[in-house]
Amino acid sequence: MSGRSPSALAQPLRPPSAGRVAACLGLFLLGAVVGAAGALVQPAWFPGGLLLALAGEAGLILGATRALRSRAGGAWAAGGWMLVVLLLTVSRPEGDFLFAAGGGSYLFLLGGITLAVICATLAPGRQPNGPPARLGK
């Protein structure tokens, strides 16, 4: 070996700290709240409510990635949003439902899922410490 320290990829995995686990669970719950609020707001004021609901989701996911300095934060928030929204699409035996069969509901569902994937994957992730030059040279 050339005497260099091993790279970060060669280090063994460590379990996440308790604070990070609590933050991920909190972001999951916050995503669930934003999803439920968006499901109620988007049909109330059709064009504005839909845009407000999707902007709230995008802000939550981008904020979560910045707060945890990792894409995992955005993934947890998006997971909470998707779980609640998909559970709210199911009709009950009594015939009650939250989403009507209209363009706004479909835009909220499909646009929200697309927006969640885009925001969670394109947000800046963790960067290695060190100079901005190429690593290993």
Side-chain angles (χ1 to χ4, degrees), residues 31-53:
V33 169
V34 169
L40 295 173
V41 166
Q42 65 91 15
W45 310 298
F46 172 61
L50 176 65
L51 294 175
L52 180 67

Side-chain angles (χ1 to χ4, degrees), residues 42 46 97 99-109:
Q42 65 91 15
F46 172 61
F97 60 90
F99 289 102
S105 295
Y106 292 128
L107 281 174
F108 177 68
L109 294 171

Side-chain angles (χ1 to χ4, degrees), residues 57-66 70-79 82 112-126:
E57 178 198 5
L60 169 69
I61 295 171
L62 288 174
T65 57
R66 295 212 181 231
S70 168
R71 289 186 180 107
W76 279 96
M82 284 186 205
I113 291 172
T114 304
L115 192 64
V117 170
I118 289 171
C119 289
T121 56
L122 292 182
R126 274 190 285 187

